[in-house]
Short mmCIF file of all heavy atoms in Angstrom, two decimals:
data_model
loop_
_atom_site.label_atom_id
_atom_site.label_comp_id
_atom_site.label_asym_id
_atom_site.label_seq_id
_atom_site.Cartn_x
_atom_site.Cartn_y
_atom_site.Cartn_z
N MET A 21 -21.00 -13.36 -3.56
CA MET A 21 -21.39 -12.63 -2.33
C MET A 21 -20.15 -12.01 -1.72
O MET A 21 -19.22 -12.74 -1.34
CB MET A 21 -22.02 -13.61 -1.33
CG MET A 21 -23.39 -14.09 -1.76
SD MET A 21 -24.12 -15.14 -0.49
CE MET A 21 -23.08 -16.59 -0.61
N PRO A 22 -20.13 -10.73 -1.69
CA PRO A 22 -18.95 -10.08 -1.09
C PRO A 22 -18.94 -10.23 0.42
O PRO A 22 -19.93 -9.97 1.09
CB PRO A 22 -19.10 -8.62 -1.50
CG PRO A 22 -20.56 -8.43 -1.71
CD PRO A 22 -21.11 -9.76 -2.16
N LEU A 23 -17.84 -10.65 0.91
CA LEU A 23 -17.66 -10.77 2.36
C LEU A 23 -16.69 -9.69 2.79
O LEU A 23 -15.57 -9.60 2.30
CB LEU A 23 -17.10 -12.15 2.71
CG LEU A 23 -16.78 -12.40 4.18
CD1 LEU A 23 -18.05 -12.39 5.01
CD2 LEU A 23 -16.06 -13.71 4.34
N TYR A 24 -17.18 -8.85 3.69
CA TYR A 24 -16.36 -7.74 4.14
C TYR A 24 -16.02 -7.90 5.61
O TYR A 24 -16.78 -8.49 6.36
CB TYR A 24 -17.08 -6.41 3.93
CG TYR A 24 -17.30 -6.05 2.49
CD1 TYR A 24 -18.58 -6.03 1.96
CD2 TYR A 24 -16.22 -5.74 1.67
CE1 TYR A 24 -18.79 -5.70 0.64
CE2 TYR A 24 -16.43 -5.41 0.34
CZ TYR A 24 -17.71 -5.39 -0.17
OH TYR A 24 -17.91 -5.07 -1.48
N GLU A 25 -14.90 -7.35 5.95
CA GLU A 25 -14.54 -7.30 7.36
C GLU A 25 -14.82 -5.89 7.86
O GLU A 25 -14.48 -4.91 7.21
CB GLU A 25 -13.06 -7.62 7.56
CG GLU A 25 -12.72 -9.06 7.24
CD GLU A 25 -11.28 -9.39 7.61
OE1 GLU A 25 -10.63 -8.60 8.30
OE2 GLU A 25 -10.82 -10.46 7.18
N TYR A 26 -15.46 -5.84 9.00
CA TYR A 26 -15.78 -4.55 9.59
C TYR A 26 -15.26 -4.50 11.02
O TYR A 26 -15.06 -5.53 11.65
CB TYR A 26 -17.30 -4.33 9.65
CG TYR A 26 -17.97 -4.18 8.31
CD1 TYR A 26 -18.54 -5.27 7.68
CD2 TYR A 26 -18.05 -2.94 7.70
CE1 TYR A 26 -19.17 -5.14 6.46
CE2 TYR A 26 -18.67 -2.80 6.49
CZ TYR A 26 -19.23 -3.90 5.86
OH TYR A 26 -19.85 -3.77 4.65
N VAL A 27 -15.10 -3.30 11.48
CA VAL A 27 -14.91 -3.08 12.90
C VAL A 27 -15.94 -2.06 13.31
O VAL A 27 -16.04 -0.99 12.71
CB VAL A 27 -13.49 -2.57 13.23
CG1 VAL A 27 -13.39 -2.19 14.71
CG2 VAL A 27 -12.45 -3.62 12.90
N CYS A 28 -16.74 -2.42 14.28
CA CYS A 28 -17.78 -1.52 14.75
C CYS A 28 -17.13 -0.30 15.42
O CYS A 28 -16.24 -0.44 16.27
CB CYS A 28 -18.68 -2.24 15.75
SG CYS A 28 -19.95 -1.17 16.45
N GLU A 29 -17.57 0.86 15.01
CA GLU A 29 -17.00 2.07 15.61
C GLU A 29 -17.63 2.37 16.97
O GLU A 29 -17.17 3.24 17.68
CB GLU A 29 -17.18 3.26 14.66
CG GLU A 29 -16.36 3.12 13.40
CD GLU A 29 -16.42 4.35 12.52
OE1 GLU A 29 -17.16 5.29 12.85
OE2 GLU A 29 -15.72 4.36 11.50
N GLU A 30 -18.69 1.67 17.27
CA GLU A 30 -19.35 1.91 18.55
C GLU A 30 -18.70 1.10 19.66
O GLU A 30 -18.42 1.60 20.74
CB GLU A 30 -20.84 1.54 18.46
CG GLU A 30 -21.60 2.27 17.38
CD GLU A 30 -21.87 3.73 17.75
OE1 GLU A 30 -21.70 4.09 18.93
OE2 GLU A 30 -22.25 4.48 16.85
N CYS A 31 -18.48 -0.19 19.36
CA CYS A 31 -17.96 -1.06 20.42
C CYS A 31 -16.66 -1.75 20.03
O CYS A 31 -16.16 -2.60 20.76
CB CYS A 31 -19.02 -2.10 20.81
SG CYS A 31 -19.36 -3.30 19.50
N GLN A 32 -16.14 -1.37 18.87
CA GLN A 32 -14.85 -1.91 18.41
C GLN A 32 -14.90 -3.41 18.16
O GLN A 32 -13.88 -4.08 18.17
CB GLN A 32 -13.72 -1.59 19.42
CG GLN A 32 -13.64 -0.14 19.82
CD GLN A 32 -13.47 0.78 18.61
OE1 GLN A 32 -12.65 0.53 17.76
NE2 GLN A 32 -14.25 1.82 18.54
N HIS A 33 -16.09 -3.92 17.96
CA HIS A 33 -16.23 -5.35 17.73
C HIS A 33 -15.90 -5.66 16.27
O HIS A 33 -16.55 -5.12 15.37
CB HIS A 33 -17.67 -5.78 18.06
CG HIS A 33 -17.92 -7.24 17.80
ND1 HIS A 33 -17.35 -8.23 18.57
CD2 HIS A 33 -18.66 -7.87 16.85
CE1 HIS A 33 -17.76 -9.41 18.09
NE2 HIS A 33 -18.54 -9.23 17.05
N PRO A 34 -14.90 -6.51 16.05
CA PRO A 34 -14.59 -6.88 14.67
C PRO A 34 -15.46 -8.05 14.23
O PRO A 34 -15.72 -8.98 15.00
CB PRO A 34 -13.11 -7.28 14.75
CG PRO A 34 -12.94 -7.78 16.14
CD PRO A 34 -13.94 -7.06 17.01
N PHE A 35 -15.91 -7.98 13.00
CA PHE A 35 -16.72 -9.08 12.49
C PHE A 35 -16.68 -9.06 10.98
O PHE A 35 -16.23 -8.10 10.36
CB PHE A 35 -18.18 -8.97 13.01
CG PHE A 35 -18.88 -7.72 12.53
CD1 PHE A 35 -19.74 -7.78 11.45
CD2 PHE A 35 -18.68 -6.51 13.16
CE1 PHE A 35 -20.40 -6.65 11.01
CE2 PHE A 35 -19.33 -5.36 12.72
CZ PHE A 35 -20.18 -5.43 11.64
N GLU A 36 -17.17 -10.15 10.44
CA GLU A 36 -17.28 -10.24 8.98
C GLU A 36 -18.74 -10.27 8.64
O GLU A 36 -19.56 -10.82 9.37
CB GLU A 36 -16.61 -11.51 8.47
CG GLU A 36 -15.11 -11.53 8.68
CD GLU A 36 -14.48 -12.82 8.16
OE1 GLU A 36 -15.22 -13.81 7.99
OE2 GLU A 36 -13.27 -12.83 7.94
N ALA A 37 -19.07 -9.68 7.53
CA ALA A 37 -20.47 -9.65 7.13
C ALA A 37 -20.57 -9.78 5.63
O ALA A 37 -19.78 -9.21 4.88
CB ALA A 37 -21.13 -8.35 7.59
N LEU A 38 -21.55 -10.54 5.23
CA LEU A 38 -21.87 -10.60 3.81
C LEU A 38 -22.78 -9.42 3.51
O LEU A 38 -23.73 -9.15 4.23
CB LEU A 38 -22.59 -11.91 3.49
CG LEU A 38 -21.72 -13.17 3.50
CD1 LEU A 38 -22.60 -14.40 3.46
CD2 LEU A 38 -20.79 -13.17 2.30
N VAL A 39 -22.47 -8.74 2.46
CA VAL A 39 -23.25 -7.55 2.10
C VAL A 39 -23.90 -7.80 0.75
O VAL A 39 -23.23 -8.10 -0.23
CB VAL A 39 -22.36 -6.30 2.06
CG1 VAL A 39 -23.18 -5.10 1.65
CG2 VAL A 39 -21.72 -6.07 3.41
N PHE A 40 -25.19 -7.70 0.73
CA PHE A 40 -25.93 -7.90 -0.50
C PHE A 40 -26.38 -6.54 -1.02
O PHE A 40 -27.14 -5.82 -0.36
CB PHE A 40 -27.16 -8.77 -0.26
CG PHE A 40 -26.81 -10.13 0.30
CD1 PHE A 40 -26.80 -10.35 1.66
CD2 PHE A 40 -26.48 -11.17 -0.54
CE1 PHE A 40 -26.48 -11.59 2.18
CE2 PHE A 40 -26.16 -12.41 -0.03
CZ PHE A 40 -26.15 -12.62 1.33
N GLY A 41 -25.90 -6.22 -2.17
CA GLY A 41 -26.37 -4.99 -2.81
C GLY A 41 -26.18 -3.78 -1.91
O GLY A 41 -25.08 -3.49 -1.45
N GLU A 42 -27.29 -3.09 -1.66
CA GLU A 42 -27.21 -1.86 -0.89
C GLU A 42 -27.43 -2.12 0.59
O GLU A 42 -27.49 -1.18 1.38
CB GLU A 42 -28.27 -0.86 -1.39
CG GLU A 42 -28.03 -0.42 -2.82
CD GLU A 42 -26.70 0.31 -2.98
OE1 GLU A 42 -26.40 1.20 -2.18
OE2 GLU A 42 -25.97 -0.05 -3.91
N ASN A 43 -27.59 -3.39 0.95
CA ASN A 43 -27.82 -3.68 2.37
C ASN A 43 -26.64 -3.21 3.20
O ASN A 43 -25.49 -3.36 2.82
CB ASN A 43 -28.03 -5.18 2.59
CG ASN A 43 -29.39 -5.64 2.11
OD1 ASN A 43 -30.17 -4.84 1.60
ND2 ASN A 43 -29.66 -6.92 2.26
N GLN A 44 -26.98 -2.65 4.33
CA GLN A 44 -25.96 -2.16 5.23
C GLN A 44 -25.76 -3.16 6.34
O GLN A 44 -26.72 -3.61 6.96
CB GLN A 44 -26.41 -0.80 5.82
CG GLN A 44 -25.44 -0.21 6.83
CD GLN A 44 -24.17 0.28 6.16
OE1 GLN A 44 -24.21 0.90 5.11
NE2 GLN A 44 -23.04 -0.01 6.76
N ALA A 45 -24.53 -3.55 6.52
CA ALA A 45 -24.24 -4.47 7.61
C ALA A 45 -24.42 -3.76 8.94
O ALA A 45 -24.36 -2.53 9.02
CB ALA A 45 -22.82 -5.00 7.48
N GLU A 46 -24.66 -4.55 9.94
CA GLU A 46 -24.73 -3.97 11.27
C GLU A 46 -23.96 -4.84 12.24
O GLU A 46 -23.76 -6.03 12.02
CB GLU A 46 -26.17 -3.78 11.74
CG GLU A 46 -26.88 -5.08 12.06
CD GLU A 46 -28.25 -4.82 12.68
OE1 GLU A 46 -28.85 -3.79 12.37
OE2 GLU A 46 -28.69 -5.66 13.47
N CYS A 47 -23.54 -4.22 13.30
CA CYS A 47 -22.72 -4.91 14.27
C CYS A 47 -23.53 -6.00 14.97
O CYS A 47 -24.62 -5.74 15.46
CB CYS A 47 -22.22 -3.89 15.31
SG CYS A 47 -21.32 -4.65 16.66
N PRO A 48 -23.03 -7.22 14.97
CA PRO A 48 -23.77 -8.30 15.66
C PRO A 48 -23.73 -8.16 17.17
O PRO A 48 -24.46 -8.85 17.86
CB PRO A 48 -23.04 -9.56 15.18
CG PRO A 48 -21.66 -9.11 14.87
CD PRO A 48 -21.79 -7.70 14.35
N SER A 49 -22.89 -7.29 17.66
CA SER A 49 -22.76 -7.15 19.11
C SER A 49 -23.69 -6.07 19.64
O SER A 49 -24.45 -6.30 20.57
CB SER A 49 -21.31 -6.82 19.45
OG SER A 49 -21.16 -6.63 20.84
N CYS A 50 -23.63 -4.90 19.03
CA CYS A 50 -24.44 -3.78 19.54
C CYS A 50 -25.45 -3.30 18.51
O CYS A 50 -26.18 -2.36 18.77
CB CYS A 50 -23.54 -2.64 19.99
SG CYS A 50 -22.79 -1.74 18.62
N HIS A 51 -25.47 -3.93 17.35
CA HIS A 51 -26.37 -3.56 16.26
C HIS A 51 -26.14 -2.14 15.77
O HIS A 51 -27.01 -1.52 15.17
CB HIS A 51 -27.84 -3.76 16.65
CG HIS A 51 -28.15 -5.19 17.01
ND1 HIS A 51 -28.30 -6.17 16.06
CD2 HIS A 51 -28.27 -5.79 18.22
CE1 HIS A 51 -28.53 -7.33 16.69
NE2 HIS A 51 -28.50 -7.12 18.01
N GLY A 52 -24.96 -1.67 16.06
CA GLY A 52 -24.62 -0.35 15.56
C GLY A 52 -24.35 -0.40 14.07
O GLY A 52 -24.02 -1.45 13.52
N ARG A 53 -24.51 0.71 13.43
CA ARG A 53 -24.29 0.77 11.99
C ARG A 53 -23.16 1.72 11.62
O ARG A 53 -22.98 2.03 10.45
CB ARG A 53 -25.58 1.18 11.28
CG ARG A 53 -26.61 0.06 11.30
CD ARG A 53 -27.93 0.48 10.69
NE ARG A 53 -28.86 -0.65 10.69
CZ ARG A 53 -29.11 -1.40 9.61
NH1 ARG A 53 -28.51 -1.13 8.48
NH2 ARG A 53 -29.99 -2.38 9.67
N LYS A 54 -22.47 2.17 12.62
CA LYS A 54 -21.27 2.96 12.33
C LYS A 54 -20.10 1.98 12.24
O LYS A 54 -19.54 1.58 13.26
CB LYS A 54 -21.02 4.01 13.42
CG LYS A 54 -22.04 5.11 13.41
CD LYS A 54 -21.69 6.19 14.43
CE LYS A 54 -20.38 6.88 14.06
NZ LYS A 54 -20.06 8.00 14.98
N LEU A 55 -19.83 1.57 11.02
CA LEU A 55 -18.85 0.51 10.83
C LEU A 55 -17.69 1.03 10.00
O LEU A 55 -17.87 1.84 9.10
CB LEU A 55 -19.50 -0.66 10.10
CG LEU A 55 -20.81 -1.18 10.71
CD1 LEU A 55 -21.42 -2.21 9.80
CD2 LEU A 55 -20.55 -1.75 12.09
N ALA A 56 -16.55 0.55 10.33
CA ALA A 56 -15.38 0.85 9.53
C ALA A 56 -15.04 -0.39 8.74
O ALA A 56 -14.69 -1.42 9.31
CB ALA A 56 -14.21 1.26 10.42
N ARG A 57 -15.21 -0.28 7.44
CA ARG A 57 -14.90 -1.45 6.63
C ARG A 57 -13.39 -1.58 6.52
O ARG A 57 -12.69 -0.63 6.22
CB ARG A 57 -15.51 -1.29 5.24
CG ARG A 57 -15.27 -2.51 4.37
CD ARG A 57 -15.77 -2.29 2.97
NE ARG A 57 -17.23 -2.16 2.92
CZ ARG A 57 -17.88 -1.96 1.79
NH1 ARG A 57 -17.24 -1.84 0.67
NH2 ARG A 57 -19.20 -1.85 1.81
N GLN A 58 -12.95 -2.78 6.77
CA GLN A 58 -11.52 -3.03 6.68
C GLN A 58 -11.16 -3.36 5.25
O GLN A 58 -11.93 -3.98 4.53
CB GLN A 58 -11.13 -4.21 7.59
CG GLN A 58 -11.57 -4.02 9.03
CD GLN A 58 -10.93 -2.80 9.64
OE1 GLN A 58 -9.72 -2.73 9.83
NE2 GLN A 58 -11.74 -1.79 9.94
N LEU A 59 -10.01 -2.93 4.88
CA LEU A 59 -9.54 -3.27 3.54
C LEU A 59 -9.19 -4.75 3.52
O LEU A 59 -8.41 -5.22 4.33
CB LEU A 59 -8.30 -2.44 3.19
CG LEU A 59 -8.55 -0.94 3.03
CD1 LEU A 59 -7.24 -0.23 2.80
CD2 LEU A 59 -9.47 -0.69 1.86
N SER A 60 -9.80 -5.43 2.60
CA SER A 60 -9.49 -6.85 2.48
C SER A 60 -8.08 -7.00 1.92
O SER A 60 -7.66 -6.26 1.05
CB SER A 60 -10.50 -7.54 1.58
OG SER A 60 -10.49 -6.93 0.32
N VAL A 61 -7.39 -7.94 2.47
CA VAL A 61 -6.02 -8.15 2.03
C VAL A 61 -6.05 -8.93 0.72
O VAL A 61 -6.57 -10.04 0.68
CB VAL A 61 -5.23 -8.93 3.09
CG1 VAL A 61 -3.80 -9.15 2.63
CG2 VAL A 61 -5.26 -8.17 4.41
N PRO A 62 -5.56 -8.35 -0.32
CA PRO A 62 -5.59 -9.07 -1.59
C PRO A 62 -4.64 -10.25 -1.57
O PRO A 62 -3.63 -10.24 -0.88
CB PRO A 62 -5.15 -8.02 -2.61
CG PRO A 62 -4.30 -7.08 -1.82
CD PRO A 62 -4.89 -7.07 -0.42
N ALA A 63 -5.02 -11.25 -2.29
CA ALA A 63 -4.15 -12.41 -2.38
C ALA A 63 -2.83 -11.99 -2.99
O ALA A 63 -2.77 -11.19 -3.92
CB ALA A 63 -4.80 -13.49 -3.24
N ARG A 64 -1.81 -12.53 -2.41
CA ARG A 64 -0.49 -12.13 -2.89
C ARG A 64 -0.31 -12.58 -4.34
O ARG A 64 -0.54 -13.74 -4.66
CB ARG A 64 0.59 -12.77 -2.01
CG ARG A 64 1.98 -12.27 -2.32
CD ARG A 64 2.96 -12.69 -1.27
NE ARG A 64 2.86 -14.12 -0.93
CZ ARG A 64 3.80 -14.77 -0.27
NH1 ARG A 64 4.88 -14.14 0.10
NH2 ARG A 64 3.65 -16.05 0.02
N PRO A 65 0.04 -11.64 -5.18
CA PRO A 65 0.17 -12.02 -6.59
C PRO A 65 1.28 -13.04 -6.79
O PRO A 65 2.33 -12.96 -6.15
CB PRO A 65 0.50 -10.69 -7.29
CG PRO A 65 1.10 -9.85 -6.21
CD PRO A 65 0.41 -10.27 -4.92
N LYS A 66 0.99 -13.97 -7.63
CA LYS A 66 1.98 -14.99 -7.90
C LYS A 66 3.09 -14.40 -8.75
O LYS A 66 2.84 -13.85 -9.81
CB LYS A 66 1.35 -16.17 -8.64
CG LYS A 66 0.34 -16.93 -7.79
CD LYS A 66 -0.28 -18.06 -8.59
CE LYS A 66 -1.31 -18.82 -7.75
NZ LYS A 66 -1.98 -19.85 -8.57
N THR A 67 4.27 -14.51 -8.24
CA THR A 67 5.40 -14.03 -9.02
C THR A 67 5.95 -15.18 -9.83
O THR A 67 6.38 -16.19 -9.28
CB THR A 67 6.49 -13.47 -8.08
OG1 THR A 67 6.82 -14.46 -7.13
CG2 THR A 67 5.99 -12.21 -7.37
N GLU A 68 5.90 -15.01 -11.10
CA GLU A 68 6.39 -16.07 -11.96
C GLU A 68 7.91 -15.98 -12.03
O GLU A 68 8.47 -14.89 -12.04
CB GLU A 68 5.79 -15.92 -13.36
CG GLU A 68 4.27 -15.89 -13.31
CD GLU A 68 3.67 -16.44 -14.60
OE1 GLU A 68 4.45 -16.74 -15.51
OE2 GLU A 68 2.45 -16.57 -14.66
N PRO A 69 8.54 -17.12 -12.03
CA PRO A 69 10.00 -17.08 -12.15
C PRO A 69 10.39 -16.43 -13.47
O PRO A 69 9.77 -16.67 -14.50
CB PRO A 69 10.41 -18.55 -12.11
CG PRO A 69 9.18 -19.30 -12.49
CD PRO A 69 8.00 -18.48 -11.99
N THR A 70 11.37 -15.59 -13.35
CA THR A 70 11.78 -14.87 -14.55
C THR A 70 12.63 -15.78 -15.42
O THR A 70 13.72 -16.19 -15.05
CB THR A 70 12.59 -13.61 -14.16
OG1 THR A 70 13.64 -14.02 -13.30
CG2 THR A 70 11.70 -12.61 -13.44
N LEU A 71 12.08 -16.12 -16.54
CA LEU A 71 12.80 -16.94 -17.50
C LEU A 71 13.40 -16.02 -18.54
O LEU A 71 12.87 -14.95 -18.82
CB LEU A 71 11.85 -17.93 -18.17
CG LEU A 71 11.22 -18.96 -17.22
CD1 LEU A 71 10.17 -19.76 -17.96
CD2 LEU A 71 12.28 -19.87 -16.65
N PRO A 72 14.50 -16.44 -19.10
CA PRO A 72 15.04 -15.64 -20.19
C PRO A 72 14.04 -15.57 -21.32
O PRO A 72 13.49 -16.58 -21.73
CB PRO A 72 16.32 -16.39 -20.61
CG PRO A 72 16.46 -17.52 -19.67
CD PRO A 72 15.29 -17.61 -18.78
N THR A 73 13.83 -14.39 -21.76
CA THR A 73 12.85 -14.23 -22.82
C THR A 73 13.38 -14.86 -24.10
O THR A 73 14.60 -14.95 -24.30
CB THR A 73 12.56 -12.74 -23.07
OG1 THR A 73 13.81 -12.07 -23.29
CG2 THR A 73 11.87 -12.11 -21.87
N ALA A 74 12.46 -15.30 -24.88
CA ALA A 74 12.86 -15.92 -26.14
C ALA A 74 13.68 -14.93 -26.95
O ALA A 74 13.27 -13.81 -27.19
CB ALA A 74 11.63 -16.34 -26.92
N CYS A 75 14.83 -15.39 -27.29
CA CYS A 75 15.75 -14.50 -27.98
C CYS A 75 15.24 -14.23 -29.40
O CYS A 75 14.70 -15.11 -30.06
CB CYS A 75 17.14 -15.13 -28.03
SG CYS A 75 18.43 -13.98 -28.53
N GLN A 76 15.41 -13.03 -29.78
CA GLN A 76 15.01 -12.69 -31.14
C GLN A 76 15.95 -13.40 -32.12
O GLN A 76 17.10 -13.70 -31.80
CB GLN A 76 15.08 -11.18 -31.36
CG GLN A 76 14.21 -10.39 -30.41
CD GLN A 76 12.73 -10.73 -30.57
OE1 GLN A 76 12.24 -10.81 -31.69
NE2 GLN A 76 12.06 -10.95 -29.47
N SER A 77 15.44 -13.63 -33.29
CA SER A 77 16.22 -14.40 -34.26
C SER A 77 17.34 -13.56 -34.86
O SER A 77 18.24 -14.08 -35.48
CB SER A 77 15.30 -14.91 -35.37
OG SER A 77 14.64 -13.83 -35.99
N SER A 78 17.27 -12.28 -34.66
CA SER A 78 18.34 -11.43 -35.16
C SER A 78 18.97 -10.68 -34.00
O SER A 78 18.35 -10.51 -32.96
CB SER A 78 17.81 -10.44 -36.21
OG SER A 78 16.85 -9.60 -35.64
N GLY A 79 20.19 -10.29 -34.16
CA GLY A 79 20.86 -9.57 -33.10
C GLY A 79 21.77 -10.50 -32.33
O GLY A 79 21.76 -11.71 -32.52
N PRO A 80 22.54 -9.94 -31.42
CA PRO A 80 23.50 -10.73 -30.66
C PRO A 80 22.79 -11.61 -29.64
O PRO A 80 21.64 -11.34 -29.29
CB PRO A 80 24.38 -9.68 -29.99
CG PRO A 80 23.49 -8.49 -29.86
CD PRO A 80 22.58 -8.52 -31.07
N PRO A 81 23.42 -12.66 -29.14
CA PRO A 81 22.84 -13.46 -28.06
C PRO A 81 22.53 -12.58 -26.85
O PRO A 81 23.29 -11.66 -26.53
CB PRO A 81 23.95 -14.48 -27.74
CG PRO A 81 24.76 -14.56 -28.99
CD PRO A 81 24.71 -13.18 -29.60
N CYS A 82 21.42 -12.86 -26.20
CA CYS A 82 20.95 -11.98 -25.14
C CYS A 82 21.68 -12.24 -23.83
O CYS A 82 21.52 -11.49 -22.89
CB CYS A 82 19.45 -12.13 -24.97
SG CYS A 82 18.92 -13.80 -24.59
N GLY A 83 22.45 -13.29 -23.74
CA GLY A 83 23.15 -13.54 -22.49
C GLY A 83 23.64 -14.96 -22.45
O GLY A 83 23.47 -15.73 -23.39
N PRO A 84 24.25 -15.34 -21.31
CA PRO A 84 24.81 -16.70 -21.18
C PRO A 84 23.75 -17.78 -21.33
O PRO A 84 24.06 -18.90 -21.71
CB PRO A 84 25.40 -16.72 -19.77
CG PRO A 84 25.54 -15.30 -19.39
CD PRO A 84 24.50 -14.53 -20.14
N MET A 85 22.49 -17.45 -20.98
CA MET A 85 21.44 -18.45 -21.06
C MET A 85 20.74 -18.43 -22.41
O MET A 85 19.78 -19.14 -22.62
CB MET A 85 20.40 -18.21 -19.97
CG MET A 85 20.97 -18.31 -18.56
SD MET A 85 21.65 -19.95 -18.21
CE MET A 85 20.11 -20.89 -18.17
N CYS A 86 21.22 -17.61 -23.30
CA CYS A 86 20.56 -17.48 -24.59
C CYS A 86 20.62 -18.80 -25.35
O CYS A 86 21.65 -19.47 -25.39
CB CYS A 86 21.21 -16.39 -25.42
SG CYS A 86 20.41 -16.12 -27.01
N SER A 87 19.47 -19.16 -25.89
CA SER A 87 19.43 -20.42 -26.63
C SER A 87 20.28 -20.35 -27.88
O SER A 87 20.61 -21.37 -28.46
CB SER A 87 17.97 -20.74 -27.02
OG SER A 87 17.42 -19.67 -27.78
N ARG A 88 20.64 -19.14 -28.26
CA ARG A 88 21.43 -19.00 -29.47
C ARG A 88 22.90 -18.83 -29.13
O ARG A 88 23.73 -18.60 -30.00
CB ARG A 88 20.93 -17.81 -30.28
CG ARG A 88 19.58 -18.05 -30.92
CD ARG A 88 19.02 -16.79 -31.52
NE ARG A 88 19.98 -16.10 -32.37
CZ ARG A 88 20.40 -14.85 -32.18
NH1 ARG A 88 19.93 -14.15 -31.17
NH2 ARG A 88 21.28 -14.31 -32.96
N PHE A 89 23.22 -18.89 -27.83
CA PHE A 89 24.62 -18.70 -27.44
C PHE A 89 25.43 -19.88 -27.96
O PHE A 89 24.98 -21.03 -27.91
CB PHE A 89 24.72 -18.64 -25.91
CG PHE A 89 26.00 -17.98 -25.44
CD1 PHE A 89 26.13 -16.61 -25.49
CD2 PHE A 89 27.04 -18.74 -24.96
CE1 PHE A 89 27.28 -16.00 -25.06
CE2 PHE A 89 28.21 -18.13 -24.53
CZ PHE A 89 28.34 -16.76 -24.58
N PRO A 90 26.59 -19.63 -28.50
CA PRO A 90 27.42 -20.74 -29.03
C PRO A 90 27.62 -21.80 -27.95
O PRO A 90 28.07 -21.49 -26.85
CB PRO A 90 28.73 -20.06 -29.42
CG PRO A 90 28.34 -18.63 -29.67
CD PRO A 90 27.22 -18.33 -28.71
N GLN A 91 27.28 -23.03 -28.29
CA GLN A 91 27.32 -24.11 -27.31
C GLN A 91 28.67 -24.79 -27.23
O GLN A 91 28.90 -25.60 -26.35
CB GLN A 91 26.23 -25.15 -27.65
CG GLN A 91 24.83 -24.61 -27.48
CD GLN A 91 24.56 -24.20 -26.04
OE1 GLN A 91 24.79 -24.98 -25.13
NE2 GLN A 91 24.09 -22.97 -25.82
N ASN A 92 29.54 -24.53 -28.17
CA ASN A 92 30.84 -25.19 -28.13
C ASN A 92 31.85 -24.20 -27.55
O ASN A 92 32.74 -24.50 -26.88
CB ASN A 92 31.26 -25.64 -29.54
CG ASN A 92 31.17 -24.46 -30.50
OD1 ASN A 92 30.59 -23.44 -30.17
ND2 ASN A 92 31.79 -24.62 -31.66
ZN1 LIG B 123 -20.90 -2.74 17.89
#
């Protein structure tokens, strides 16, 4: 069930409404149907810690953290 945030353009009343299919939400305050749907804030994407990528088996070591970097 999509839950949308609206602000009524008639009375500026903010509210949330579940919208089913083609049903049109209406303002619970004035029952107006001139609504401005608010953009829902997307969940902040999880940023994964950047790990050194697996070094290719050929080529020079990719950096100080390279698993193939000479350990001695
Ligand atoms: Zn209203």
Side-chain angles (χ1 to χ4, degrees):
M21 289 184 290
L23 176 66
Y24 294 112
E25 292 187 12
Y26 293 95
V27 173
C28 177
E29 293 186 356
E30 303 286 347
C31 67
Q32 309 303 313
H33 178 70
F35 63 99
E36 295 180 340
L38 288 168
V39 178
F40 301 93
E42 296 298 312
N43 286 1
Q44 178 71 42
E46 70 173 30
C47 174
S49 178
C50 73
H51 300 283
R53 288 176 178 259
K54 291 185 64 176
L55 308 173
R57 183 186 293 180
Q58 305 299 294
L59 293 175
S60 58
V61 180
R64 188 168 47 164
K66 293 178 181 176
T67 54
E68 304 209 355
T70 54
L71 296 173
T73 53
C75 193
Q76 301 299 314
S77 58
S78 62
C82 58
M85 298 299 291
C86 182
S87 57
R88 290 170 50 239
F89 200 77
Q91 293 299 309
N92 53 347

